[in-house]
Amino acid sequence: MSILKQHRCPSRSLTHIPTSPRLHLVARLTCSATTTTTKPKSSQNQLVIEPRLETKPDSITPIIPSVGPPLSNDPSLQSTWSHRAWVASGCTTLFFSLAKTVTGAADTHMWFEPIVAGYVGYVLADLLSGVYHWGIDNYGDATTPIFGSQIEGFQGHHKWPWTITRRQFANNLHALARSITLTVLPIEILCNDPVIQGFVTVCAGCIMFSQQFHAWSHGTKSRLPPLVVALQDAGVLVSRSQHSAHHRPPYNSNYCIVSGVCNEFLDKNKVFEALEMIIFFKLEVRPRSWSEPGAEWIEEMDEAQSQVTVH
Amino acid sequence: MASSLSLSSHTVASLFPSHTSKPQLSLSKSIPILTKSSQSQFHGLKFSHSSSLSIPRFSTFKTSISAKVNKGAVPPAFTLKDQDGKTVSLSKFKGKPVVVYFYPADETPGCTKQACAFRDSYEKFKKAGAEVIGISVDSAESHKNFAKKYRLPFTLLSDEGNKVRKEWGVPSDLFGTLPGRQTYVLDKKGVVQLIYNNQFQPEKHIDETLKILQSL
């Protein structure tokens, strides 16, 4: 639970995070200028026109920060037909993969092995989500080839974590859905083994929906479907409390976002720290988490969540 | 179905073993080859292993290298530059206990934790009459910035080319990818009384060295 100071200001509440730079609000005066011509002085042979500049403040306009979180109706949070198409293709791919698993299991009368393989896929998906998340959070920037936009997105997510709950479904999942479609479809076509199919279906499914699980982990209990809350509380999906630990400085733990089942092992055994050390000594690249978080990483609280955060 | 992966400490211990050099010999467990009689310690559990060449039970992550400085031995002398650019010799500290700790690099999380832990317990080391010396491959300037940033009251030495590290036989970790984190405690005569190795629990170095200093 964290209690954060609140500063009153005209347009939005800010929450003071002691170690972070604050966004300052500055009042801006809007001026209007008018020119008038004065009556020429009576002078016998001279016409004098004197323009007069009048400055009058007509309103105090609250500052809109030049870089702020996307609003709910921001196009960047909306789903497009392209997004929906990719999500549909991802879901279709998974559906057929599941169907192939089931029919294969039925044909071979082998159910236990595909189920176990599916569980292994579920755990591996969590691990892979953590590794990917760790990599994106710590290395590269917006200019990095292929991953640049995702890195930028993750950075923005750290600054405005609540905006993920405002992303529309397909917008949130389409990138993963595309990867899953392109990866799973060939396997589905070429492979007939129900054990492999079972593993791939669950692993790929969890990866594809990991962003949804992630979004739910940023939701508030009262706004989430009861089933989701139950699954989070049971540890099947990454919990709100576990993921919130990742959003506290130095942002170097709890990277896994499917179920979080791997987080304890990875953090307790400092697996990522070891990888960071290896990369540092071999490639001389420091991970972002080793340095004090910059302004672009420090979380800005949402107005609706600016009072008390209870996990 | 709250499933969680929790391996036993025994299994986890084999991934990042820590080692304390003590004079006892006992049962073999996972061992780095060629290490002399030592105990490995992880999360408070102790393992003892013999000095003979035994096949490791688990794949070890330590580089197989002869421990050139062992307990009971007098380590090779060295002369290195400190954070102020001054030349410092180990012989300067004869007559008092010395804690020499080798660490991977300045400004890395583990090393920062370790340095700050030594700093925070520095009074206890002074009370025991001991000097603390940190050694890494970083330059004198890097040490100066590191010491200044974290207000480190002790000496940091620049081991150019890891020469002293190699002479003392400090083992690397993770298949040689990481410089090892190993601490030696020398008594007043300059004889090694403790060798403690633990890469990922840096604060434990302070506890272990203070313990041995009580008995010196």
Side-chain angles (χ1 to χ4, degrees):
Chain A
M1 173 169 160
S2 62
I3 297 173
L4 304 166
K5 256 197 271 183
Q6 185 177 7
H7 294 259
R8 284 186 163 271
C9 49
S11 66
R12 52 175 261 186
S13 303
L14 288 179
T15 302
H16 174 61
I17 300 168
T19 57
S20 70
R22 255 180 290 185
L23 198 65
H24 294 288
L25 286 185
V26 175
R28 194 196 309 151
L29 290 176
T30 316
C31 305
S32 63
T34 56
T35 45
T36 55
T37 53
T38 55
K39 199 174 176 181
K41 282 183 184 173
S42 57
S43 163
Q44 286 191 342
N45 295 314
Q46 204 170 18
L47 183 69
V48 176
I49 300 171
E50 294 176 3
R52 194 172 72 189
L53 194 68
E54 207 170 22
T55 305
K56 187 170 66 178
D58 55 359
S59 66
I60 293 177
T61 309
I63 279 288
I64 296 165
S66 57
V67 176
L71 301 174
S72 298
N73 57 359
D74 192 296
S76 67
L77 303 180
Q78 312 292 310
S79 294
T80 64
W81 283 109
S82 166
H83 296 163
R84 293 185 185 108
W86 278 116
V87 171
S89 73
C91 290
T92 307
T93 305
L94 287 175
F95 174 77
F96 281 112
S97 185
L98 178 64
K100 208 167 176 183
T101 306
V102 171
T103 50
D107 289 344
T108 55
H109 305 290
M110 195 168 61
W111 292 100
F112 180 70
E113 290 89 336
I115 290 171
V116 170
Y119 181 72
V120 171
Y122 164 72
V123 174
L124 186 66
D126 192 53
L127 176 65
L128 292 174
S129 74
V131 174
Y132 189 75
H133 187 179
W134 162 79
I136 293 278
D137 265 6
N138 282 288
Y139 301 100
D141 55 33
T143 62
T144 305
I146 302 173
F147 300 102
S149 60
Q150 287 182 55
I151 293 169
E152 197 176 30
F154 271 68
Q155 191 171 291
H157 172 64
H158 274 267
K159 190 162 188 181
W160 306 298
W162 72 90
T163 56
I164 193 173
T165 61
R166 295 175 189 172
R167 262 183 205 281
Q168 291 189 334
F169 179 73
N171 177 296
N172 202 16
L173 266 62
H174 77 279
L176 287 168
R178 180 170 53 229
S179 302
I180 292 303
T181 303
L182 298 174
T183 315
V184 173
L185 204 50
I187 298 172
E188 202 175 291
I189 292 167
L190 297 171
C191 178
N192 295 312
D193 188 325
V195 176
I196 295 175
Q197 289 283 2
F199 167 80
V200 168
T201 304
V202 177
C203 188
C206 289
I207 288 172
M208 181 172 145
F209 285 92
S210 62
Q211 270 296 84
Q212 185 56 55
F213 305 154
H214 184 194
W216 283 334
S217 74
H218 280 282
T220 49
K221 194 173 178 177
S222 57
R223 292 183 189 176
L224 289 170
L227 178 61
V228 171
V229 174
L231 290 172
Q232 288 176 335
D233 292 345
V236 176
L237 298 180
V238 65
S239 67
R240 298 177 309 285
S241 58
Q242 195 179 92
H243 189 62
S244 69
H246 173 70
H247 281 271
R248 288 194 283 272
Y251 311 102
N252 66 351
S253 65
N254 293 283
Y255 283 106
C256 301
I257 56 169
V258 170
S259 58
V261 71
C262 297
N263 278 327
E264 189 182 343
F265 175 79
L266 292 171
D267 292 342
K268 200 171 179 181
N269 292 286
K270 312 213 178 170
V271 173
F272 290 124
E273 186 177 326
L275 289 173
E276 286 162 4
M277 291 282 277
I278 292 170
I279 291 171
F280 175 68
F281 279 103
K282 290 297 166 190
L283 302 176
E284 295 180 13
V285 177
R286 286 174 67 93
R288 206 169 281 118
S289 62
W290 284 9
S291 307
E292 286 296 315
E296 67 279 4
W297 267 80
I298 302 294
E299 182 177 328
E300 288 181 18
M301 288 297 286
D302 182 21
E303 284 182 35
Q305 296 174 338
S306 59
Q307 298 261 352
V308 172
T309 307
V310 179
H311 299 290
Chain B
M1 183 181 93
S3 53
S4 64
L5 275 182
S6 54
L7 302 181
S8 70
S9 292
H10 293 268
T11 312
V12 170
S14 67
L15 295 177
F16 303 120
S18 67
H19 300 272
T20 307
S21 175
K22 289 273 172 78
Q24 300 154 12
L25 291 174
S26 46
L27 295 171
S28 294
K29 294 262 179 167
S30 63
I31 337 162
I33 298 174
L34 300 180
T35 303
K36 297 292 181 179
S37 58
S38 57
Q39 284 183 348
S40 62
Q41 185 170 297
F42 187 81
H43 288 306
L45 294 172
K46 288 185 180 172
F47 303 91
S48 303
H49 38 265
S50 72
S51 62
S52 57
L53 279 172
S54 308
I55 297 167
R57 187 173 165 181
F58 301 106
S59 59
T60 61
F61 292 86
K62 286 206 175 297
T63 312
S64 299
I65 124 181
S66 259
K68 291 179 184 175
V69 172
N70 300 311
K71 186 182 174 310
V74 174
F78 60 72
T79 300
L80 298 172
K81 285 210 172 125
D82 72 2
Q83 61 263 45
D84 296 318
K86 289 183 204 152
T87 304
V88 172
S89 297
L90 181 62
S91 53
K92 173 186 165 184
F93 303 103
K94 209 161 186 179
K96 54 167 95 174
V98 184
V99 175
V100 179
Y101 80 95
F102 289 86
Y103 64 96
D106 295 338
E107 296 284 3
T108 56
C111 306
T112 302
K113 274 184 210 154
Q114 185 179 30
C116 292
F118 271 117
R119 174 199 65 197
D120 296 341
S121 295
Y122 192 61
E123 287 305 310
K124 292 180 188 169
F125 286 98
K126 294 301 280 181
K127 207 172 172 185
E131 281 292 338
V132 175
I133 300 171
I135 301 181
S136 80
V137 76
D138 301 292
S139 66
E141 191 181 340
S142 171
H143 283 336
K144 189 172 184 177
N145 294 334
F146 188 49
K148 188 178 174 186
K149 184 174 177 181
Y150 295 102
R151 297 171 287 109
L152 306 178
F154 47 83
T155 303
L156 295 176
L157 298 178
S158 175
D159 182 16
E160 224 175 301
N162 281 316
K163 186 165 166 280
V164 175
R165 181 181 277 267
K166 287 172 193 164
E167 281 174 4
W168 284 41
V170 179
S172 304
D173 286 319
L174 296 179
F175 303 109
T177 55
L178 292 188
R181 188 187 306 282
Q182 183 147 295
T183 297
Y184 300 80
V185 176
L186 282 56
D187 64 16
K188 294 174 186 177
K189 295 176 188 169
V191 175
V192 174
Q193 295 298 332
L194 174 74
I195 302 173
Y196 183 75
N197 186 299
N198 194 327
Q199 177 69 251
F200 292 101
Q201 292 175 300
E203 297 98 337
K204 282 194 180 260
H205 287 250
I206 286 74
D207 300 330
E208 293 298 319
T209 50
L210 281 173
K211 248 191 265 177
I212 200 81
L213 281 171
Q214 307 302 326
S215 60
L216 290 179

